[in-house]
Amino acid sequence: MDTIEVNDLKKQATTDALVIRYRTYSRRVRTMLYLGGVLQDRTHSVIRTYIIGFLVILMCLSHSIFLLNFSRDYADNLTLMVKCFGQMSSFIAPALMSACFLIKREKLLELHETLNDLFERELEQDQETTLAILHAFDRQSYIMFFITTSLILSHVCPPLIFIIYQSVRHIEPKGYRLPFLAKFPWIVPINGGFLFYLHFLYHFFIGWWVIFTINSVDSLFGFYAFQISSILHAMSIKLRSNLRSREVLKICIQIHGRLLQCSYILEDIWQLIILRMLVTNACVICALIFEASQFTDITMNEVFSFIFFIALKLLQTFIYAWNGSSITSASEYFREGIYFSDWPNSSLDHHIRANIIVSMMQKPMIIKTLKISSVNVNMFINIMNTAMSYFFLLQSLDEGG
């Protein structure tokens, strides 16, 4: 008896730890959304939300224009053009994400409220089953945040350390540089002064939006994928353990219908974000490989920047693909749960039976980008194949030139 009680206590302690871990995961995503300027919440002022959102769009798009202006002066330098394209893809991303969240604000709030309500109901009934796959999702945001922050710091820290060093040593500055490539329509002094530090602060905030806006939006997609997958997984377990329960079948079919609508909303909000990620990541991965093949004299800072950048693009692509596959797999598992629930022999009315047949005949939930590509692991493989094709094309152009 004592052994059984000890096992029960250990099991309860493990479950409580999972609940705490989920609450921490939820708060972390919310905090990142707030810091990234893309938090959509009914408790926050709508005017404030739009002001911050437009600020992110204005700053990131303006810097993309300044970077494009810079690249025009080096159109004959293919390696530098490749580097400019890689940076521009990172600066456009926060602007697009902020714009999508502002335009789809009401749908995003509806998605969040619906999924949160359904997930909390499942959590009350069976915490262990609902949180069984939590560990596979909550680590993603940690890894992505670390890589993105390291990448931005590799650009911001060297010029900042140089400025601090010369200030402490009272060395008269001969020339400072800004963290990111850019050519402004006006002259920016390179020997310090208020105007230079104002531009440095502008670059600092650009790096801030890249870190927190991109990571928060990517993490939010993973968070919603986790909630949808967990609810479907929990319902599948119910269907297998309650073979002839009329009420369980009825509730599961109703929840599945709501989750199906949530998947459509999720696809509607993220389709442009994912499409941009697909196109730019394939090109950037190709560009980075090409840039690495051109390296002759390289500093350690450039090595770390290259490693962090290509790791970020590979991981970002894989995480989106894996999250999409998780939703599809959980949906297929749910359909199998209905099939094995022995519903033909249960006392169900015609309406519920019709809904069950419709659910079984429907295709699994698949997140798509503008009906062009499905978000799954095959997408990651296609991106890698495309990147290598672009690389060989660039190599041919370079050799031909």
Side-chain angles (χ1 to χ4, degrees), residues 103-120:
I103 294 171
K104 306 289 184 178
R105 172 181 164 81
E106 287 303 319
K107 288 190 175 182
L108 188 62
L109 291 172
E110 179 188 351
L111 175 65
H112 179 78
E113 291 166 357
T114 303
L115 285 179
N116 190 62
D117 179 54
L118 294 176
F119 188 85
E120 290 297 331

Side-chain angles (χ1 to χ4, degrees), residues 143-384:
I143 301 172
M144 286 288 294
F145 181 79
F146 171 76
I147 295 177
T148 310
T149 304
S150 300
L151 176 63
I152 296 301
L153 289 180
S154 70
H155 286 83
V156 175
C157 285
L160 181 61
I161 292 172
F162 183 71
I163 292 171
I164 294 173
Y165 174 79
Q166 291 204 328
S167 299
V168 170
R169 293 297 183 112
H170 302 289
I171 301 173
E172 185 176 349
K174 294 182 180 180
Y176 294 144
R177 68 180 180 87
L178 295 170
F180 306 112
L181 301 175
K183 181 182 179 182
F184 297 93
W186 51 85
I187 298 174
V188 180
I190 60 173
N191 58 348
F194 175 76
L195 190 58
F196 173 82
Y197 292 120
L198 186 64
H199 282 77
F200 197 97
L201 184 64
Y202 167 78
H203 278 236
F204 173 81
F205 275 107
I206 293 295
W208 178 280
W209 301 134
V210 169
I211 291 173
F212 287 101
T213 306
I214 292 178
N215 276 285
S216 62
V217 173
D218 291 348
S219 297
L220 186 62
F221 182 85
F223 182 72
Y224 289 151
F226 159 71
Q227 288 187 321
I228 294 174
S229 302
S230 294
I231 295 169
L232 288 169
H233 178 74
M235 291 195 302
S236 301
I237 300 298
K238 285 181 187 178
L239 290 172
R240 284 169 167 80
S241 59
N242 297 274
L243 297 181
R244 297 179 183 275
S245 175
R246 176 182 183 276
E247 192 62 28
V248 168
L249 273 168
K250 181 180 178 181
I251 293 173
C252 286
I253 291 299
Q254 291 174 347
I255 293 176
H256 179 262
R258 295 180 68 183
L259 288 177
L260 195 61
Q261 292 300 317
C262 288
S263 70
Y264 293 148
I265 297 175
L266 185 69
E267 178 184 300
D268 184 41
I269 297 171
W270 261 269
Q271 57 184 348
L272 282 178
I273 296 173
I274 297 175
L275 182 63
R276 181 216 63 87
M277 186 266 299
L278 293 179
V279 175
T280 59
N281 281 12
C283 296
V284 168
I285 291 170
C286 152
L288 289 170
I289 297 172
F290 175 78
E291 187 180 354
S293 68
Q294 304 295 310
F295 283 153
T296 52
D297 186 17
I298 183 172
T299 64
M300 285 302 297
N301 185 55
E302 289 175 333
V303 171
F304 283 118
S305 294
F306 170 78
I307 293 172
F308 286 131
F309 203 10
I310 197 166
L312 174 64
K313 294 304 176 182
L314 289 171
L315 188 62
Q316 185 184 46
T317 308
F318 178 77
I319 285 177
Y320 268 103
W322 187 83
N323 286 332
S325 290
S326 298
I327 294 175
T328 304
S329 298
S331 179
E332 290 176 340
Y333 189 60
F334 174 77
R335 292 170 65 207
E336 291 176 5
I338 295 178
Y339 180 80
F340 291 109
S341 63
D342 198 22
W343 60 271
N345 299 323
S346 58
S347 56
L348 298 172
D349 57 40
H350 295 293
H351 179 69
I352 298 176
R353 286 177 180 272
N355 287 337
I356 290 174
I357 294 172
V358 169
S359 298
M360 291 178 62
M361 292 178 64
Q362 284 177 336
K363 293 181 179 180
M365 296 180 189
I366 300 175
I367 307 300
K368 293 187 176 182
T369 55
L370 295 176
K371 310 298 181 183
I372 298 173
S373 173
S374 299
V375 182
N376 51 38
V377 176
N378 290 331
M379 178 191 76
F380 176 76
I381 298 171
N382 293 334
I383 290 296
M384 296 306 300

